[in-house]
């Protein structure tokens, strides 16, 4: 499974150090610092092309009015439906462990963990919650606005 560990750590470090206000303007400032390219912007969201080294280097932003909910990006490839579930789970679990191992020195001990098939590990920083989320066929890094 293709996973961009260095890219995920870079984004998490940027998010931790960024001065978040919770408003949509943060998204524009953050994505400029991260070096992402805007692809689409609408009333309830935005999409960006990231510089993460994965097959779908995209980030999606969900928002309502002037407040953003979260910025979610793939940090792994999305496994094909033809890959047997047992094989995909093994790849997901291994990649998730690799990402956690790399993120903990940067973010410290997680403030929230949800073990299981759809595992979540979250770290609260000033104005943002940085979440690593295991999905059925990929792993995403989510920057969630605690004010939303």
């Amino acid at each position: 499974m293709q996973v961009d560990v260095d890219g995920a750590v870079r984004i998490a470090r940027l998010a931790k150090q960024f001065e978040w206000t919770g408003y949509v303007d943060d998204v524009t400032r953050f994505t400029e610092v991260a070096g992402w390219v805007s692809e689409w912007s609408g009333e309830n969201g935005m999409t960006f092309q990231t510089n993460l080294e994965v097959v779908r280097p995209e980030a999606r932003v969900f928002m309502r009015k002037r407040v953003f909910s979260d910025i979610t990006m793939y940090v792994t490839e999305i496994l094909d439906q033809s890959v047997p579930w047992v094989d995909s789970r093994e790849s997901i679990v291994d990649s998730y462990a690799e990402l956690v191992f790399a993120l903990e020195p940067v973010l410290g001990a997680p403030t929230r963990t949800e073990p299981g098939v759809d595992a979540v590990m979250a770290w609260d920083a000033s104005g943002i919650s940085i979440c690593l989320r295991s999905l059925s066929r990929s792993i995403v890094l989510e920057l969630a606005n605690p004010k939303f």
Side-chain angles (χ1 to χ4, degrees):
M1 168 173 248
Q2 180 187 13
V3 56
D4 188 351
V5 174
D6 293 338
V9 169
R10 182 177 50 79
I11 295 302
R13 183 178 285 117
L14 280 173
K16 181 179 179 183
Q17 296 170 347
F18 193 78
E19 292 185 32
W20 297 97
T21 65
Y23 293 99
V24 173
D25 294 343
D26 289 352
V27 175
T28 304
R29 292 184 307 113
F30 181 79
T31 57
E32 286 175 3
V33 170
W36 298 354
V37 177
S38 176
E39 291 186 330
W40 175 84
S41 180
E43 186 176 322
N44 295 316
M46 303 177 202
T47 58
F48 292 88
Q49 181 177 347
T50 70
N51 44 16
L52 293 167
E53 295 182 21
V54 293
V55 175
R56 286 179 61 184
E58 65 183 38
R60 294 184 181 179
V61 179
F62 299 97
M63 59 191 185
R64 189 174 13 202
K65 298 186 181 178
R66 302 261 321 126
V67 179
F68 78 94
S69 157
D70 61 83
I71 304 170
T72 302
M73 71 228 61
Y74 294 104
V75 292
T76 65
E77 68 179 295
I78 300 169
L79 294 175
D80 189 277
Q81 295 289 339
S82 65
V83 175
W85 189 82
V86 166
D87 296 337
S88 68
R89 285 312 316 157
E90 185 176 335
S91 294
I92 294 286
V93 168
D94 290 347
S95 296
Y96 191 85
E98 185 178 0
L99 284 158
V100 168
F101 184 77
L103 288 168
E104 281 189 320
V106 174
L107 300 174
T111 52
R112 181 171 56 100
T113 59
E114 296 175 20
V117 174
D118 295 325
V120 175
M121 193 164 288
W123 296 265
D124 292 335
S126 180
I128 200 77
S129 181
I130 303 165
C131 305
L132 186 66
R133 188 176 303 275
S134 173
L135 305 174
S136 61
R137 302 231 171 239
S138 66
I139 300 171
V140 296
L141 188 65
E142 180 180 280
L143 309 178
N145 181 355
K147 295 179 183 177
F148 193 81

